[in-house]
């Protein structure tokens, strides 16, 4: 019987495991780096042990320190979460050797699946269809495009698409660096890249007594940088292709049995096919919860064949890899089966038996990953404070949804700070409903009305995806962002008019705040004059640029320039009600220093209150290359005095486990290079200055 579990991880997954342990009456132990000293997962645990340092290599990847921490805290089991040491066979063996229970598969199974190169050979021998591996040194023009992949690990680290043979050496080098940094193993390989594949995976659960479940499939086709963004269960493609579910489940069980698997794992496949489904979920809701989604229904997939796909020959799939751990997207399987997969992991690790068959699947669940990043700026990671993260409708945290609703699995809380050392995922938001359309609608609404204050996130992108006609029709693949345009999908939810109204509300709320803190004439309205005077003026910077608000509060009401059809109903420092062309609009206003966040049904708006006067020291020279985020300079592409061309890489930064290239904004001379390799820089640091060439080529 397991009494106390140390989670060898951080953030959201550590909190997720702790939640199940608490429900089971099991003690919890956290480990934390110096950067994570104030992380919520540390506060969630009964006991916490410091791992000195900040980088993963010094902390969460130090298996020896993690085991020492478990022994020090009196834990009798270790759960690895996902990432870091979760698929490290040597660590699993060391846990056993230390007399602790390993909450994961046997070390040999991890080892066999730990190398994507060797695992593909093994799966091919077991009868599972695979994509052939390509030797990076032997790739030819005929093989293009190819995908460079890290042999160890996952999560999009060490993965690059190569479409030009001349780009292959540089992409191989970059992939190896990322793989070494993230997993401690620089080994990479290549395989044929399918531009519009569907990413389908099967959740397996196995005990040591020979029972292997194929619990259900998930579709994770919408990805950025080869990392999943939207995941759902069941798959709309598998729903639409007769017999596909049975074949997928059989292949997944073959894979698990071939390596004597135990515990939770995921067999990932790349599939072909397009599901043609109407947005009304026709043929889905009426199936109910008796056995929907079960392979045991037979190969005819009754109730699905009539929906079909646009090509009846599509629906083929190929083994990609087996993740010998819990997946980030496991909540969608939990919601559609009623299972707590972490609890099952604990039971299996303690020697428990699974039932002969898994539970039936019912309903539909969709999960989105809320990242600290700016999709419109090439997915640029963000760092900084999270002032507030609040979802409407009483979202459940870290628990299985057994009725329609919203679940939040978050690694941050109000007041958290997101640094540059780890993955930029803030939270997972999950919806469960009887049908796919209902789940998508519920999730989009919850996200759009959530109060997310602080650093920039991908929230608007997620809502736009969930509301997109192609998504609602089940027409998703790994090229979704390219097909439908990132510029379209990343557009703000709030229109330009909504942003201006929100800025007006922010100005009125600021005026109300000034009245609240005034020490004299407290009964007078803000900006009051005995005689008519110049309007009050406030300037905010929003997504569309500067917005100047000019208004007067008179005895006859609000007079705001450019808002002739707007009347003020009420205003406090936190809430403003406006009558807009006969429609009552409510705005919640929150201010943190000069940053203002306005939430309304028109869409969330982030503003920055512009200073009345510009600080000369804040002005940077034209042509300056600024650090877009805090990070470490890992490489320089030129030296001061060099002539450079527009788009030429000048500085490579590493932040949040990814490389980011800073390029010359124009052709000219690199007149200043302010950093060196290995240097840590803050956001906004001037890295270099390029003096652009004048027309005709002269400087």
């Amino acid at each position: 019987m397991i009494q106390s579990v140390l989670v060898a991880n951080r953030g959201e997954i550590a909190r997720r495991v702790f939640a199940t342990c608490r429900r089971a009456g099991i003690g919890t132990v956290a480990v934390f780096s110096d950067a994570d000293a104030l992380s919520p997962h540390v506060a969630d645990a009964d006991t916490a042990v410091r791992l000195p340092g900040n980088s993963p290599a010094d902390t969460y990847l130090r298996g020896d320190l993690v085991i020492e921490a478990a022994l020090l805290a009196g834990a009798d089991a270790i759960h690895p979460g996902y990432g870091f040491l979760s698929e490290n066979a040597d660590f699993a063996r060391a846990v056993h050797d230390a007399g602790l229970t390993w909450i994961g598969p046997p070390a040999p199974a991890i080892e066999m699946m730990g190398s994507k190169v060797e695992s593909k050979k093994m799966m091919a021998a077991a009868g599972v269809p695979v994509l052939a591996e390509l030797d990076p040194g032997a790739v030819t023009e005929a093989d293009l495009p190819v995908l460079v992949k890290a042999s160890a690990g996952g999560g999009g680290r060490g993965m690059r698409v190569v479409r030009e043979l001349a780009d292959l050496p540089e992409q191989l080098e970059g992939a190896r660096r990322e793989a070494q940094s993230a997993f401690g193993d620089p080994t990479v390989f290549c395989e044929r890249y399918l531009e519009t594949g569907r990413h389908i995976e099967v959740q397996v659960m196995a005990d040591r007594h020979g029972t292997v479940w194929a619990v259900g499939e998930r579709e994770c086709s919408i990805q950025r940088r080869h990392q999943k963004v939207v995941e759902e269960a069941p798959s709309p493609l598998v729903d639409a292709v007769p017999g596909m579910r049975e074949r997928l489940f059989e292949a997944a069980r073959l894979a698990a049995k071939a390596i004597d698997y135990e515990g939770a794992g995921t067999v990932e496949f790349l599939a072909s096919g397009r599901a043609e489904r109407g947005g009304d979920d026709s043929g889905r809701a009426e199936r109910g919860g008796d056995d929907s989604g079960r392979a045991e229904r037979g190969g005819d997939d009754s109730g699905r064949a009539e929906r079909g796909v646009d090509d009846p020959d599509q629906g083929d799939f190929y083994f990609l890899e087996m993740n010998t751990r819990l997946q980030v997207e496991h909540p969608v399987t939990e919601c559609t089966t009623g299972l707590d997969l972490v609890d099952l992991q604990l039971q299996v690790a303690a020697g428990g038996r699974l039932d002969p068959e898994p539970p039936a699947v019912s309903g539909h669940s969709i999960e989105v990953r809320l990242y600290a990043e700016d999709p419109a700026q090439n997915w640029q990671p963000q760092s900084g404070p999270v002032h507030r993260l609040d979802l409407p409708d009483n979202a459940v945290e870290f628990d299985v949804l057994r009725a329609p609703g919203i679940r939040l699995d978050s690694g941050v809380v109000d007041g958290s700070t997101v640094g540059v050392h780890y993955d930029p995922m803030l939270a997972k938001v999950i919806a469960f409903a009887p049908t796919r359309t209902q789940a998508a609608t519920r999730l989009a609404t919850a996200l759009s009305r959530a109060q997310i204050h602080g650093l920039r996130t991908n929230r608007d992108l997620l809502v736009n995806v969930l509301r997109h006609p192609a998504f609602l029709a089940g027409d998703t693949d790994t090229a979704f962002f390219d097909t439908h345009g990132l510029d379209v999908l990343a557009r703000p939810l709030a229109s330009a008019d909504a942003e201006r109204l929100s800025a007006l509300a922010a100005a009125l709320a600021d005026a109300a705040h000034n009245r609240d803190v005034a020490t004299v004439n407290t009964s007078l309205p803000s900006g009051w004059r005995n005689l008519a005077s110049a309007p009050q003026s406030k300037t905010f910077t929003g997504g569309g640029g500067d917005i100047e608000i000019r208004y007067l509060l008179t005895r006859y009401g609000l007079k705001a320039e450019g808002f002739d059809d707007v009347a003020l109903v009420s205003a406090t420092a936190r809430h403003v009600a406006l009558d807009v062309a006969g429609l009552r609009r409510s705005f919640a206003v929150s201010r943190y220093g000069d940053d203002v966040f306005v939430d309304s049904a028109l869409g969330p708006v982030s503003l920055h209150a512009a200073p009345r006067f510009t600080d000369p020291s804040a002005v940077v020279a034209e042509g300056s290359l600024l650090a877009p985020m805090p990070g470490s300079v890992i490489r320089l592409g030129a030296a001061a005095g060099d002539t450079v061309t527009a788009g030429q890489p000048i500085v490579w930064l590493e932040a949040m486990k990814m490389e980011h290239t800073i390029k010359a904004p124009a052709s000219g001379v690199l007149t200043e290079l302010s950093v060196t390799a290995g240097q840590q820089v803050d956001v906004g640091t001037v890295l270099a200055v390029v003096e652009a060439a004048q027309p005709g080529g002269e400087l």
Side-chain angles (χ1 to χ4, degrees):
M1 182 68 182
I2 295 173
Q3 299 294 327
S4 178
V5 173
L6 179 144
V7 177
N9 220 294
R10 62 177 300 278
E12 166 266 328
I13 185 55
R15 301 188 74 203
R16 163 69 188 92
V17 176
F18 291 157
T20 286
C21 288
R22 283 195 300 271
R23 289 191 289 267
I26 296 173
T28 55
V29 179
V31 288
F32 64 94
S33 67
D34 291 338
D36 276 341
L38 300 178
S39 173
H41 83 273
V42 178
D44 280 0
D46 298 329
T47 307
V49 181
R50 173 178 174 247
L51 304 177
N54 288 318
S55 73
D58 294 333
T59 56
Y60 298 108
L61 287 173
R62 285 286 303 274
D64 55 336
L65 297 183
V66 171
I67 291 173
E68 286 178 11
L71 297 174
L72 175 66
D76 56 359
I78 290 181
H79 191 300
Y82 46 70
F84 295 134
L85 295 167
S86 62
E87 295 176 283
N88 187 309
D90 290 338
F91 179 60
R93 289 192 182 93
V95 171
H96 281 297
D97 292 344
L100 303 170
T101 298
W102 168 250
I103 304 173
I110 299 174
E111 205 159 49
M112 285 184 277
M113 291 293 105
S115 166
K116 294 182 177 66
V117 174
E118 296 305 317
S119 65
K120 285 194 171 191
K121 295 176 182 177
M122 187 177 303
M123 291 299 101
V128 179
V130 302
L131 279 174
E133 173 208 346
L134 300 173
D135 180 351
V139 172
T140 67
E141 289 280 356
D143 297 317
L144 299 176
V146 297
L147 181 63
V148 180
K149 298 180 72 173
S151 183
R157 294 342 183 237
M159 295 180 71
R160 309 288 181 94
V161 177
V162 179
R163 293 185 171 86
E164 300 290 339
L165 200 60
D167 296 336
L168 184 59
E170 180 181 352
Q171 296 300 328
L172 285 169
E173 181 183 352
R176 289 180 179 124
R177 284 196 303 269
E178 281 188 358
Q180 175 65 43
S181 175
F183 316 119
D185 182 351
T187 306
V188 299
F189 68 100
C190 295
E191 67 185 16
R192 182 164 58 95
Y193 180 61
L194 301 184
E195 297 277 6
T196 57
R198 306 279 289 245
H199 192 116
I200 312 294
E201 59 190 33
V202 179
Q203 176 71 56
V204 296
M205 180 66 70
D207 63 23
R208 66 187 59 172
H209 309 289
T211 299
V212 178
W213 284 356
V215 182
E217 90 282 348
R218 300 183 286 257
E219 179 155 347
C220 314
S221 297
I222 298 182
Q223 304 179 6
R224 61 98 169 102
R225 288 179 171 169
H226 314 293
Q227 192 167 40
K228 302 159 190 173
V229 177
V230 181
E231 301 113 336
E232 58 183 309
S235 159
L237 173 66
V238 178
D239 255 355
V241 180
M244 187 176 181
R245 179 168 285 110
E246 183 180 42
R247 292 185 289 119
L248 275 168
F249 283 13
E250 179 59 23
R253 285 190 290 258
L254 279 174
K257 290 177 180 178
I259 58 173
D260 295 324
Y261 199 76
E262 292 179 21
T266 299
V267 187
E268 301 198 354
F269 300 94
L270 190 64
S272 60
R274 283 183 58 196
E276 287 192 336
R277 301 167 53 100
D280 60 351
D281 287 273
S282 174
R284 183 138 173 79
E286 64 269 20
R287 289 204 307 273
D290 52 346
D291 66 348
S292 91
R294 290 284 296 279
E296 296 79 39
R297 289 176 306 176
D300 61 352
D301 280 277
S302 175
R304 300 175 187 274
E306 66 271 15
R307 291 201 301 279
V309 292
D310 58 349
D311 181 350
D313 294 328
Q314 293 191 3
D316 292 336
F317 55 84
Y318 306 92
F319 173 84
L320 285 177
E321 61 187 359
M322 183 174 184
N323 296 130
T324 53
R325 54 173 169 80
L326 199 65
Q327 291 280 93
V328 177
E329 57 272 22
H330 73 274
V332 296
T333 296
E334 293 186 322
C335 291
T336 51
T337 60
L339 295 171
D340 182 329
L341 293 177
V342 174
D343 190 56
L344 283 176
Q345 285 185 295
L346 297 172
Q347 293 180 39
V348 167
R353 290 179 178 271
L354 297 173
D355 292 336
E357 300 291 342
V361 170
S362 65
H364 201 98
S365 184
I366 304 175
E367 171 184 298
V368 294
R369 302 189 190 186
L370 185 68
Y371 283 108
E373 66 184 11
D374 186 352
Q377 299 298 322
N378 196 30
W379 311 101
Q380 190 177 95
Q382 307 290 299
S383 60
V386 179
H387 300 301
R388 183 169 175 79
L389 176 58
D390 183 61
L391 291 170
D393 301 329
N394 299 316
V396 170
E397 292 190 84
F398 302 110
D399 201 2
V400 179
L401 290 171
R402 293 176 172 82
I406 297 293
R407 167 175 165 175
L408 174 67
D409 285 17
S410 175
V412 299
V413 296
D414 293 358
S416 291
T417 298
V418 176
V420 300
H421 300 287
Y422 313 112
D423 188 274
M425 188 176 78
L426 302 178
K428 304 178 312 197
V429 188
I430 308 104
F432 175 60
T435 70
R436 185 173 185 271
T437 299
Q438 290 172 332
T441 301
R442 184 184 289 267
L443 184 54
T445 300
L447 283 168
S448 67
R449 298 187 178 181
Q451 293 189 340
I452 304 173
H453 301 164
L455 72 185
R456 188 181 297 275
T457 73
N458 65 337
R459 181 253 298 273
D460 290 5
L461 173 93
L462 298 174
V463 175
N464 288 330
V465 168
L466 293 167
R467 291 174 173 168
H468 197 281
F471 178 83
L472 293 173
D475 186 9
T476 60
D477 57 38
T478 53
F480 191 89
F481 292 125
D482 292 333
T483 301
H484 300 290
L486 184 59
D487 57 334
V488 174
L489 295 170
R491 285 177 182 167
L493 296 178
S495 67
D497 287 342
E499 187 175 63
R500 290 184 68 249
L501 272 173
S502 297
L504 174 61
L508 295 171
D510 188 50
H513 168 72
N514 291 339
R515 284 296 85 201
D516 291 342
V517 299
T519 57
V520 296
N521 295 329
T522 57
S523 62
L524 297 179
S526 178
W528 182 86
R529 297 292 185 273
N530 201 24
L531 297 173
S533 181
Q536 295 290 300
S537 177
K538 297 182 187 298
T539 301
F540 300 95
T541 302
D546 287 346
I547 305 170
E548 184 181 14
I549 301 297
R550 292 170 61 83
Y551 71 93
L552 281 170
L553 293 173
T554 73
R555 68 184 65 188
Y556 304 107
L558 172 70
K559 292 179 62 177
E561 296 180 8
F563 298 93
D564 295 338
D565 57 352
V566 177
L568 174 62
V569 178
S570 64
T572 68
R574 298 298 302 274
H575 183 271
V576 174
L578 299 174
D579 187 304
V580 184
L583 299 175
R584 183 69 57 87
R585 300 286 189 186
S586 295
F587 301 84
V589 182
S590 301
R591 184 159 182 167
Y592 310 88
D594 291 331
D595 294 323
V596 186
F597 299 87
V598 185
D599 296 289
S600 76
L602 296 174
V605 171
S606 174
L607 302 167
H608 182 80
R612 294 185 64 187
F613 305 102
T614 302
D615 182 353
S617 66
V619 178
V620 298
E622 184 177 353
S624 296
L625 280 66
L626 306 181
M629 70 209 71
S632 175
V633 177
I634 59 173
R635 185 181 171 196
L636 300 174
D642 287 354
T643 299
V644 297
T645 58
Q648 178 179 335
I650 304 297
V651 178
W652 281 263
L653 284 180
E654 183 178 55
M656 294 183 173
K657 300 164 66 177
M658 299 287 284
E659 279 190 13
H660 309 277
T661 306
I662 314 301
K663 300 178 181 179
S667 297
V669 173
L670 188 64
T671 58
E672 182 180 333
L673 184 63
S674 310
V675 294
T676 58
Q679 181 177 338
Q680 294 288 325
V681 297
D682 294 324
V683 63
T685 299
V686 177
L687 306 174
V689 178
V690 175
E691 184 176 334
Q694 301 299 318
E698 296 183 0
L699 293 174

